[in-house]
């Protein structure tokens, strides 16, 4: 059980967690995967690489993360962490107040709904940082294109930008399912109100739309630059062909001229 006041920690530990391979742990639920930590508290795991811990001590957290190590895909060198304080007040309305989440009860389904929002917020934060980095790298190329300057020759670099954006989009839609309701709401429709409230508080929908727009802009810019480079290469090849034809004609005429002279 949660204490009257407790801290929830949301951790991004890798690009994915192989949940179906988990064993030797007490699994309370598979939708989402919820585990009772041996030393006390709960852990809610998401396949897109986020672990949300409720009432888990620092020592138990370190031990639990060590247990998960073999199931993490592309583990991160440094963890991304967000914290939230929860206070349980009987008969209180669910709300965020001065950075603290007020709940009337601490039942497991409600905690799973909270974990869903915290996990999506954390992974969105990671995607936003990745997109900002890609945007910073692609923006000078767009400015160079606008000013009529020389375009870079690194086609592989542009393909890398496009691949990075596609990877973010795939993980956001396929793994994290950021824009979708959690399956827990099918079994507990009465929790949809608190889920929507938390989704609004963390601006999940607005952040997703803004991120998708930025990703589309980066992808379109990279594809446009790549198309221009390919057009220039095609034009260059055509000129090479024309030059070779001209050289061949000149050599043929030269040969015919000397034959005629002889």
């Amino acid at each position: 059980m949660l204490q009257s006041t407790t801290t929830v920690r949301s951790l991004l530990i890798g690009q994915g967690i192989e949940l179906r391979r988990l064993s030797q742990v007490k699994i309370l639920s598979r939708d989402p995967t919820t585990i009772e930590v041996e030393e006390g508290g709960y852990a809610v795991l998401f396949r897109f690489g986020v672990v949300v811990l409720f009432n888990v001590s620092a020592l138990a957290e370190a031990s639990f993360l060590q247990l998960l190590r073999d199931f993490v895909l592309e583990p991160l060198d440094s963890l991304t962490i967000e914290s939230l304080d929860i206070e349980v007040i009987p008969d209180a309305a669910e709300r965020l107040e001065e950075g603290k989440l007020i709940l009337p009860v601490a039942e497991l389904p409600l905690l799973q709904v909270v974990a869903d929002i915290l996990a999506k917020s954390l992974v969105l934060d990671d995607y936003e940082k990745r997109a900002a980095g890609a945007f910073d790298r692609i923006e000078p190329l767009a400015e160079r294109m606008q000013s009529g300057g020389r375009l870079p020759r690194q086609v592989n670099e542009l393909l890398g930008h496009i691949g990075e954006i596609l990877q973010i989009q795939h993980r956001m839609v396929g793994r994290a399912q950021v824009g979708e309701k959690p399956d827990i709401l099918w079994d507990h429709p009465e929790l949809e109100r608190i889920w929507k409230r938390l989704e609004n508080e963390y601006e999940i929908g607005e952040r997703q739309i803004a991120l998708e727009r930025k990703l589309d802009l980066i992808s379109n810019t990279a594809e446009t630059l790549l198309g221009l480079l390919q057009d220039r290469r095609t034009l260059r090849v055509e000129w090479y062909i024309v030059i070779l034809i001209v050289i061949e004609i000149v050599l043929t005429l030269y040969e015919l001229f000397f034959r005629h002279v002889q």
Side-chain angles (χ1 to χ4, degrees):
M1 294 293 294
L2 286 184
Q3 303 169 356
S4 59
T5 302
T6 190
T7 298
V8 185
R9 283 167 59 84
S10 180
L11 301 88
L12 178 63
I13 61 176
Q15 297 305 321
I17 303 175
E18 296 179 296
L19 300 177
R20 297 192 178 277
R21 291 182 52 222
L22 284 174
S23 60
Q24 300 177 346
V25 291
K26 186 176 181 180
I27 297 178
L28 303 176
S29 171
R30 279 286 186 185
D31 200 12
T33 299
T34 305
I35 295 172
E36 184 174 351
V37 180
E38 289 185 1
E39 295 84 352
Y42 302 117
V44 185
L45 280 60
F46 296 87
R47 66 191 186 105
F48 48 86
V50 175
V51 177
V52 182
L53 302 173
F54 294 86
N55 199 27
V56 176
S57 67
L59 186 62
E61 176 184 311
S63 176
F64 185 72
L65 294 180
Q66 180 68 21
L67 175 67
L68 289 180
R69 186 179 59 178
D70 293 336
F71 307 100
V72 179
L73 303 174
E74 301 179 44
L76 300 177
D77 295 331
S78 58
L79 304 183
T80 303
I81 303 172
E82 286 186 2
S83 299
L84 173 69
D85 290 331
I86 290 182
E87 184 173 358
V88 179
I89 303 177
D91 302 323
E94 307 99 337
R95 64 187 184 277
L96 273 173
E97 187 175 276
E98 297 179 353
K100 181 183 295 185
L101 177 62
I102 309 297
L103 297 177
V105 293
E107 296 175 347
L108 186 59
L110 180 54
L111 299 182
Q112 291 173 320
V113 168
V114 172
D116 176 81
I117 294 297
L118 295 179
K120 288 177 178 176
S121 176
L122 185 60
V123 81
L124 264 177
D125 183 63
D126 180 60
Y127 294 157
E128 288 164 350
K129 291 177 181 177
R130 290 171 179 264
F135 189 84
D136 290 341
R137 293 190 294 273
I138 203 74
E139 187 177 18
L141 303 181
E143 292 176 352
R144 195 182 304 178
M145 179 176 65
Q146 182 182 15
S147 62
R150 295 184 60 184
L151 293 177
R153 297 181 180 180
Q154 296 88 346
V155 175
N156 290 337
E157 181 181 343
L158 292 175
L159 290 175
H161 289 313
I162 296 173
E164 182 179 8
I165 298 309
L166 291 176
Q167 187 181 57
I168 294 175
Q169 290 173 328
H170 168 72
R171 288 174 173 170
M172 184 170 65
V173 177
R175 286 189 183 178
Q177 298 177 334
V178 173
E180 300 181 17
K181 296 180 182 179
D183 292 338
I184 188 70
L185 294 182
W186 289 99
D187 297 326
H188 298 275
E190 72 278 5
L191 298 177
E192 185 167 351
R193 180 171 57 87
I194 179 62
W195 180 82
K196 286 184 176 179
R197 177 174 295 180
L198 289 173
E199 186 189 38
N200 290 333
E201 290 285 352
Y202 281 87
E203 301 179 336
I204 301 296
E206 293 85 348
R207 290 165 64 190
Q208 180 190 8
I209 292 173
L211 178 58
E212 288 176 345
R213 288 176 177 171
K214 182 174 286 188
L215 293 175
D216 287 341
L217 175 61
I218 298 170
S219 178
N220 292 336
T221 302
E223 289 175 358
T224 300
L225 288 169
L226 183 61
L228 289 173
L229 286 174
Q230 290 174 336
D231 290 343
R232 289 189 178 184
R233 286 191 172 187
T234 301
L235 181 61
R236 189 180 299 116
V237 170
E238 291 176 351
W239 272 108
Y240 289 158
I241 294 173
V242 170
I243 292 172
L244 289 174
I245 292 174
V246 170
I247 291 174
E248 185 176 357
I249 292 174
V250 170
L251 291 175
T252 301
L253 291 175
Y254 183 79
E255 184 178 354
L256 290 175
F257 174 76
F258 271 94
R259 285 182 181 177
H260 180 71
V261 171
Q262 293 175 355

